[in-house]
Each structure stands twice: as structure tokens, then as C-alpha cells.
Amino acid sequence: MSNYRRARVPGATYFFTVNLRDRRSDLLVREVDLLRATVRATKARHPFHIDAWVVLPEHMHCMWTLPPGDSDFALRWKVIKFAFSRRLPDDETRTATQAARGERGIWQRRYWEHLIRDDLDYQRHFDYLHYNPVKHGHVARVVDWPYSSFHRAVATGIYRTDWCIEPAHERDAYGE
């Protein structure tokens, strides 16, 4: 088994990308209420602060700050993925390895994490996360994506509702 090197700093802030195995699926937005309930239950048992989160049809990005003295984000992801999966019908296709291990075929096995290094790194990841629905063509304006902490950031004054909307005069004739 591979030994992945992960940055583990107690009390730090991390950026994550977590993908479904089927990258054409819309499961995460279709089951967003289940995902939210699963995250709430996980936070109750294994506290962490959600700095930002966006859920897209087949992947999600989030930023978490762990409690002082705690660096175990892997446990939290294991709990979230397992609890979410076990509440869904057991009808997805699985690889032979997954079947042999008794695993579900919903999630990609690994996820990507990045230790936030400083304020600029935080801001860049925070912005990237919130812009992601536009980047992937799900909406034309960030404010129009309902599965995002962008709305909380607007309510607390971090963003304006028109964040990342270019004035028409700054675009060329092709809208770019």
C-alpha cells in the first residue's frame, strides 16, 4: 500500500478537493441534504470549523480549520464518506478490488489536501473555491450557485453579491 505524505499541523487550516468516482454523476447536488446532515453529524463528534465549502455535482472543495492540538482531518473524511455512502442505495458499480474489500464505489479513494500557509494562500483558495461553479460552467455568476458558502460570505461582508462579475464594457465582442 502506498504511503502518502500528508501535511499534518494541529489546529491548521486545510483546503480539500474530494471527488466522486463517477465524474459524470450529479450525486452530490442531488443528495446535498444528506451530505449536509452527514457533515453536521461528523462535526458534532469530531469538531472542526468550516471556513468555506462548495458542492458541485461530482466533486467538492472545502476549507477547514481544525481545533488546536488536532490534525486528524483523515478521520473526518473517512467518517463523512462512510456515513454518506451507507445512507444511499447499494447499486453503484464497483471495481473487483472494492468488491473484495467490501467497499462502496461512490468516492474516489484518495482526496487532495493542501495546508494553508499564510493569509494570501488562504484568500486565493477561498476565492478559487467560490468561483468554481462558474469555472465549470454550472452558472454564469457566483451568486447563482446555491450549494456554496459564498452566500454566508456575502452575509458577513466578505464578498459583495456581484463579486467576480466583469462589467460588460470590460469584455470583448465575444464576451471574454
Side-chain angles (χ1 to χ4, degrees), residues 52-54 126 129-131 141-145 147-156 158-164:
W53 203 307
V54 66
F126 196 82
L129 177 154
H130 288 114
Y131 186 72
R141 302 177 318 152
V142 176
V143 71
D144 294 333
W145 189 249
Y147 314 113
S148 172
S149 59
F150 177 77
H151 307 283
R152 180 179 74 184
V154 167
T156 59
I158 296 170
Y159 291 126
R160 294 180 2 188
T161 56
D162 64 351
W163 179 76
C164 256

Side-chain angles (χ1 to χ4, degrees), residues 75-140:
L75 170 67
R76 289 162 174 89
W77 278 120
K78 181 179 177 180
V79 171
I80 289 168
K81 287 174 149 186
F82 177 79
F84 180 79
S85 298
R86 76 181 169 125
R87 288 174 178 82
L88 295 172
D90 191 359
D91 58 3
E92 73 276 2
T93 59
R94 299 177 196 188
T95 65
T97 303
Q98 288 170 325
R101 292 180 175 163
E103 295 176 356
R104 299 290 302 265
I106 295 172
W107 300 100
Q108 281 188 3
R109 175 168 279 204
R110 307 281 183 237
Y111 53 86
W112 189 79
E113 115 279 334
H114 168 77
L115 174 65
I116 300 296
R117 297 179 304 270
D118 55 32
D119 290 343
L120 181 59
D121 193 34
Y122 185 100
Q123 187 63 51
R124 286 180 176 160
H125 283 84
F126 196 82
D127 290 348
Y128 173 84
L129 177 154
H130 288 114
Y131 186 72
N132 216 249
V134 174
K135 175 186 170 194
H136 287 282
H138 296 297
V139 291

